[in-house]
Amino acid sequence: MSAEEAIIIPGVPSCEPPSLEETTSPHEPLPAKSDQQGPEAVSPTGSPTGAPSNARAQSGQYLTTAQGLRLTDTDHSLKAGPRGPVLLQDHHLREKITHFDHERIPERVIHARGAGAHGLFRSYGTASKITKAGFLAPDVETPVFVRFSTVLGSRGSADTVRDTRGFSTKFYTDEGTYDLVGNNIPVFFIQDGIKFPDVVHAAKPHPDREIPQAQSAHDTFWDFVSLHTEAQAHTIWNMSDRGIPRSYRTMEGFGVHTFRLVDQNGKTTLVKFHWKPKQGVHSLVWEEAQLINGMDPDFHRRDLADAIESGAYPQWELGIQTFPDNDEQTFEGIDLLDPTKFVPEELAAVQPVGLMTLNANPTNYFAETEQVAFHPGHLVPGIDLTNDPLLQVRLFSYLDTQISRLGGPNFAQLPINRPHAPINDMLRDGMHQTAVHAGVAPYHPNSLDGGCPFLAGEDVGAFVDVPEEVAASIKERRNPASFGDHFSQARLFFRSLTAIEQDHTIEAYTFELAKCYEATIRERQLLALANIDAGLCAAVATGLGMAIPDATVQTHALELSPAVSQLGGSWPIAGRIVGIITDASSDLSQISVARAALKAVGVVPLVIAPHGGFLSDNEGQMIAVQRTYLTARSIEFDAVILAHAGTPATGKEPSKDAKASPNASVLDPRITLLLSEAYRHSKVIGAWGPSVLGLKTAGISQSSAGITVGDNASTVIIAITSMLATHRAWERFPAT
């Protein structure tokens, strides 16, 4: 295999190249691609079947009905003559159309738009001192399925909107299924689940016009969060760069709530769960996100699938913050049952307990990603709940919504949801029952089935609820006084950001509030910002052209938490994407050197040329082209390299390509645009040899931060890969 062939370019739709002519020789369905994996083949009651994961896929060489009847035609209805009416007796037509009419199921009310992947979790064993959960014992490997999602948009919305992201993991443990259902932000909008319908109704599109889609920049959202000031802590995280992740692969995850771990002796420890991406936490800039939503609304789901296909498997460490399970359930003055509060890592370090690697894409989006059903009440021995009032309501809501969305109570029997542990639940019948239960006595106790199933003791892995004492109290509708501070943690978060990140947060507030029609709502939110930080409020008010209000609440002074900042570190670059801009004059030997060097460090190199197909030179060397000047845009690349300084290509007329402009003389105007966008978004840019002149033509100074030039590809690639480790050249545009 040549070096060129060894570079995997993701996005191939089939495991076998299609033929130009229609294939007429019968053969079995093609297998899945090498990067794809279906759910493990276990029975509806959790028994291993020994069958391959594709055993549930279609089989046979010929088209059939759902009952296995082979068909000779599926293009023509049965008619009374070629011009006559369609006959009601056409059983194939009725089945085909009826099934099509019922293909859709209700989409999720929230988290409707998602992407998923299969993987493996390997425990370090470091949590085994405080929990008896088997999957957290030393070196235990557990299959997982992860679904990432946006909250507000419909299933057909865009990926890179400013929004909270879901990060939910299903662990198929041998003690039963455990679901860690979290978000990419450690706090939530509300403190009590009874408000959940309210915040969702406020954040969704306005009910009169059904706009705006997948956005928080509208009146009802800001009306709610400015009146329910407990939402300010979550909102400021959303207005920061955390609201627009670069990739699901560079997104942190949080369990949000406080949970209990239980050891072998029944001792409990309170914990918060964290997912830490091995590639670091990185985000898009706002203009870049807006461009992506037009150019590639599937950006995040494509990025995840492409990374797995190219072998750059995403990884996260699971970590825990631990706290004493005392009567107050507080830590350093922070109420651990308040889901609008987080515990800074400087006060309680995140201790790694295992590594998750996502290594396979689904074989079928609907069967796996769409039908996967998470529930925070899916627990295993060693993990239990707390009295967080938002978590308590989620325990009811998640189960209830799965019954509605998936057509009945048997959703656990769908292949993606089937536990990898024996199931003997005495639950019977219902819609979509696929198990064939034996026995005559699905009740307990019984004698007709020999007493089976039997109750288990704690010594054989039974789940035992923590016997928590409930204090004498009054039945009432109110929060504890410790839930009353709505601004201190928002202030802590904002002041812990770097100046660049603060600038981005100010811009986000200004943009979002400027989209609100009602001046009263903008004024009320400015009052909330005044209670968070005077500088933040003043900057946003100035941008809106409104008066700067004074604070009305005394905010507690808290130690800053540098851990919430995304900047200042260095991370692995595997899976990053670099665009190499070429033309007919490019030195292909240097491009081959660049591609091989990038591949060696796990970076995906994509060649951009005036046309598709191949680039070739007089020595017979050929390099495949992945993008053209027509299809490439800066938003796809983490860095770009200019490998030519030639003349504009054909198709540069604005009438043929809206990205083109008649004003460029040397560089193709579409390449000038690509470079200028990459420069404006603080991305790394390189050039070697004569192509350095092209940077000058594009108006890019070699002395700017994040720009590297050299005599050859090797020199430039070394600098490029070094700069990519810090994600972007933020110093190119100093914060104001």
Side-chain angles (χ1 to χ4, degrees), residues 137-331:
D139 299 320
V140 173
E141 293 188 340
T142 303
V144 297
F145 186 81
V146 177
R147 187 178 188 272
F148 305 101
S149 56
T150 53
V151 171
L152 297 182
S154 67
R155 183 177 163 186
S157 61
D159 279 353
T160 61
V161 294
R162 183 178 294 282
D163 196 358
T164 305
R165 264 76 182 174
F167 190 138
S168 296
T169 307
K170 186 175 289 291
F171 296 84
Y172 300 97
T173 88
D174 57 10
E175 297 179 298
T177 299
Y178 171 59
D179 287 348
L180 180 54
V181 193
N183 287 334
N184 73 320
I185 291 175
V187 294
F188 201 66
F189 287 106
I190 53 176
Q191 295 168 325
D192 193 312
I194 198 171
K195 290 185 179 181
F196 200 78
D198 302 314
V199 67
V200 173
H201 289 164
K204 283 287 191 176
H206 289 208
D208 53 351
R209 302 183 184 184
E210 185 61 14
I211 54 174
Q213 174 62 234
Q215 298 177 59
S216 55
H218 56 95
D219 289 77
T220 56
F221 173 81
W222 289 100
D223 187 36
F224 180 89
V225 301
S226 62
L227 288 168
H228 291 74
T229 52
E230 68 196 64
Q232 291 295 321
H234 183 114
T235 302
I236 198 167
W237 280 77
N238 224 30
M239 293 302 106
S240 77
D241 292 342
R242 300 274 182 155
I244 41 174
R246 157 63 180 87
S247 165
Y248 291 138
R249 299 179 291 128
T250 61
M251 190 175 79
E252 210 164 1
F254 303 92
V256 179
H257 309 287
T258 300
F259 295 87
R260 275 193 175 89
L261 296 187
V262 187
D263 71 9
Q264 295 287 355
N265 300 315
K267 181 182 178 182
T268 60
T269 303
L270 298 182
V271 300
K272 285 185 175 290
F273 290 107
H274 296 246
W275 288 112
K276 297 285 188 183
K278 296 291 281 185
Q279 289 186 296
V281 185
H282 307 299
S283 295
L284 301 167
V285 297
W286 180 229
E287 184 194 45
E288 187 182 15
Q290 291 174 302
L291 289 171
I292 291 171
N293 283 336
M295 292 295 296
D296 186 4
D298 303 304
F299 184 77
H300 280 157
R301 55 171 64 182
R302 189 189 311 280
D303 173 86
L304 177 66
D306 284 357
I308 293 172
E309 185 178 351
S310 64
Y313 298 144
Q315 292 185 316
W316 290 260
E317 276 192 317
L318 179 63
I320 55 174
Q321 290 176 299
T322 62
F323 319 100
D325 191 358
N326 53 31
D327 292 339
E328 297 77 20
Q329 295 181 325
T330 63
F331 182 78

Side-chain angles (χ1 to χ4, degrees), residues 39-171:
E40 186 173 325
V42 295
S43 76
T45 53
S47 299
T49 65
S53 63
N54 66 351
R56 291 173 294 259
Q58 67 272 28
S59 62
Q61 300 178 356
Y62 299 100
L63 177 67
T64 73
T65 67
Q67 309 306 316
L69 178 68
R70 290 182 180 178
L71 297 167
T72 61
D73 188 296
T74 190
D75 296 328
H76 305 93
S77 302
L78 189 64
K79 308 183 223 12
R83 298 175 63 83
V86 174
L87 298 179
L88 183 62
Q89 76 177 67
D90 190 345
H91 60 94
H92 174 44
L93 166 67
R94 294 201 316 273
E95 180 187 71
K96 186 175 180 180
I97 291 297
T98 299
H99 196 283
F100 172 76
D101 291 343
H102 295 270
E103 279 183 1
R104 294 294 174 265
I105 63 174
E107 70 173 33
R108 291 166 168 86
V109 175
I110 54 171
H111 298 279
R113 182 172 179 82
H118 295 273
L120 195 69
F121 175 79
R122 181 177 61 83
S123 171
Y124 298 156
T126 48
S128 60
K129 298 176 183 177
I130 58 174
T131 179
K132 60 185 177 183
F135 80 99
L136 291 175
D139 299 320
V140 173
E141 293 188 340
T142 303
V144 297
F145 186 81
V146 177
R147 187 178 188 272
F148 305 101
S149 56
T150 53
V151 171
L152 297 182
S154 67
R155 183 177 163 186
S157 61
D159 279 353
T160 61
V161 294
R162 183 178 294 282
D163 196 358
T164 305
R165 264 76 182 174
F167 190 138
S168 296
T169 307
K170 186 175 289 291
F171 296 84

Side-chain angles (χ1 to χ4, degrees), residues 418-470:
R418 289 180 182 177
H420 294 187
I423 307 299
N424 199 345
D425 54 18
M426 296 196 301
L427 306 176
R428 294 294 186 267
D429 307 340
M431 296 284 286
H432 308 139
Q433 175 61 257
T434 58
V436 181
H437 294 101
V440 297
Y443 50 85
H444 186 275
N446 74 73
S447 62
L448 294 177
D449 280 345
C452 187
F454 301 92
L455 296 178
E458 191 172 0
D459 59 326
V460 289
F463 181 89
V464 177
D465 297 280
V466 172
E468 180 184 9
E469 183 177 345
V470 179

Side-chain angles (χ1 to χ4, degrees), residues 399-416:
L399 182 60
D400 191 45
T401 194
Q402 307 300 1
I403 293 172
S404 172
R405 200 174 66 85
L406 297 173
N410 291 311
F411 60 85
Q413 295 182 17
L414 293 167
I416 192 62

